[in-house]
Amino acid sequence: MWTQRRESNQSIRSGDHRNPYQRDKARILHSAAFRRLQAKTQVLGVGMSDFYRTRLTHSLEASQIGQGITAQLRSKYPDLTEQLDVNEQLIEALCLAHDIGHPPFGHGGEIALHYKMYRHGGFEGNGQTFRIVGKLEPYTLEHGMNLSRRTMLGLVKYPNFIDTLTNLDIEAQNVPHRQVKANLWHPPKGLYQCDSAMFHWLLEPLSENDKKHFMGFNQFPDKHSKTRFKTFDCSIMELADDIAYGIHDLEDAIVMGIIHREQFQQEVANKIKDISDFSLSDQIDSLTEKLFSEFHHQRKDAIGALVNSFITSIEISKKAEHFDEPLLRYDATFPTSCHHALGLFKAFVLNRVIRKPDIQIIEYKGQQIVMELFEAIQSDPERLLPENTCQRWRIAELENNGNRVIADYISGMTDGFASKLYSSLFLPKSGNINDQFTA
């Protein structure tokens, strides 16, 4: 059942000996949604430099790390990984696709779309990824990329619906665009209710007990609810994503001079020395020297050592909750020491790079662009949407879901396309008015 697809009448071409996950990986690689990642912000805004990572290069690096994790686990746990049918092409596919739902301008764009969609089912990047692979990408007429069930399920990091996970007690005040505070509008992490048919199809092989527990979540008085579980495949993908974010994105910030050695030494290196059972605790000073060296090959050596240390430490653990399905019963996890160490790297990137005022100004600007575009298109969709998107909007509007199509359209934009459309709509130019649309 895990290799089944929603549309089962697609023929396998003569001589095509690929397994289902190799075909899934190819569909992701050749999709327009994947190509657009080359022009979407990862951490630093697109256009600030031609060196640093975009969403595309981040996804490629996460895929390579995921492949490394899979190879390590198969070596450490040969019997268990055989039972779980661990597949490198599957993990590569998940890592390649994990970010394709993220809108332009990074989390600024996500905040903007959730703000505009709050009354219409919300917006969240992982939920949008699920929607793209299962419905929007035109590989098939109705079922998107028509990926295998196991691949689709591996992309579901948060297996419940935004409507269910929303804490209405912390509803933020509806304020003008320029007064929207990002920290008040982080979306609940989940799926869209309008995509429930896809999700329920995914869960068909599971027992009723597994379905109930898999969709379980923790509630909090002062924030949105958070789901508790993910599949084994998804846990590998998430670890690969965390390593790529914590270590590789650090490299960009070092090269561009955004962070300095003294900051890293105080906030990361000195604290890692206190983690007695982390494999690189006694080497962190020499690694710091290499990270901030003027010689690129030394920095690459240090980055490689850090990535290798995290990959080789990963273990397979059994969930405390009972699941009948093995894919739900196990997770790939870090030992406590490695989890703590990588957390220091991630916190450092967050505090010293992402929250840096220069970066937040760019994110805020992108947030404003996305909200202005949404409001303009929402005011007259049949006038401003491209014809094929407008046809989808007309159909969705019959079910009072037209705003979801507008969110689909804007979230699929690259940073550059969104900026260009904003300029065409709102910034007058000298010369003939037609010049606005010929650039």
Side-chain angles (χ1 to χ4, degrees), residues 80-122:
L80 184 53
T81 51
E82 183 176 357
Q83 175 192 343
L84 294 169
D85 192 21
V86 177
N87 185 286
E88 290 185 9
Q89 287 84 26
L90 167 63
I91 301 303
E92 286 183 84
L94 297 180
C95 293
L96 290 171
H98 81 281
D99 265 354
I100 61 175
H102 280 269
F105 308 112
H107 289 291
E110 184 178 53
I111 294 295
L113 285 174
H114 181 60
Y115 173 79
K116 301 303 291 186
M117 288 294 294
Y118 184 75
R119 305 284 184 189
H120 312 288

Side-chain angles (χ1 to χ4, degrees), residues 168-179:
L168 297 177
D169 292 336
I170 60 168
E171 180 179 349
Q173 184 180 2
N174 196 358
V175 296
H177 292 170
R178 294 185 180 181
Q179 297 179 29

Side-chain angles (χ1 to χ4, degrees), residues 124 126-127 155-161 165 188-191 199 214 226-230 234 238:
E124 198 270 329
N126 297 283
L155 287 170
V156 178
K157 294 173 68 173
Y158 310 104
N160 211 313
F161 301 102
L165 301 170
K189 293 184 179 296
L191 307 176
F199 182 60
F214 185 54
K226 185 176 181 180
T227 57
R228 299 174 58 200
F229 303 114
K230 54 183 65 68
C234 186
E238 195 162 42

Side-chain angles (χ1 to χ4, degrees), residues 2-6 21 24 28 90 93-94 97 126 129-136 143-159 191 195 197-203 214 231 233-234 237:
W2 293 118
T3 58
Q4 288 179 349
R5 305 174 189 275
R6 292 193 80 193
Y21 307 124
D24 288 347
I28 293 163
L90 167 63
L94 297 180
N126 297 283
T129 293
F130 184 65
R131 183 169 171 81
I132 288 171
V133 299
K135 186 173 290 187
L136 300 181
H143 302 303
M145 297 185 194
N146 197 33
L147 302 179
S148 62
R149 181 184 265 117
R150 182 166 174 175
T151 302
M152 287 276 288
L153 191 58
L155 287 170
V156 178
K157 294 173 68 173
Y158 310 104
L191 307 176
D195 295 328
M198 286 193 295
F199 182 60
H200 293 312
W201 173 81
L202 281 184
L203 302 189
F214 185 54
T231 66
D233 302 323
C234 186
M237 175 263 283

Side-chain angles (χ1 to χ4, degrees), residues 206-214 322-325 328:
L206 302 179
S207 67
E208 290 304 314
N209 175 73
D210 279 4
K211 290 177 186 178
K212 177 183 177 181
H213 290 310
F214 185 54
H322 173 74
F323 285 98
D324 301 319
E325 170 55 51
L328 303 185

Side-chain angles (χ1 to χ4, degrees), residues 42-108:
Q42 168 61 13
V43 172
L44 305 176
V46 171
M48 290 176 65
S49 167
D50 60 359
F51 164 80
Y52 57 76
R53 291 159 173 85
T54 63
R55 288 274 180 192
L56 180 69
T57 56
H58 162 77
S59 298
L60 292 170
E61 287 174 335
S63 179
Q64 184 269 330
I65 292 171
Q67 185 181 26
I69 294 172
T70 306
Q72 284 289 327
L73 293 180
R74 290 172 69 176
S75 175
K76 285 183 178 180
Y77 306 91
D79 294 337
L80 184 53
T81 51
E82 183 176 357
Q83 175 192 343
L84 294 169
D85 192 21
V86 177
N87 185 286
E88 290 185 9
Q89 287 84 26
L90 167 63
I91 301 303
E92 286 183 84
L94 297 180
C95 293
L96 290 171
H98 81 281
D99 265 354
I100 61 175
H102 280 269
F105 308 112
H107 289 291

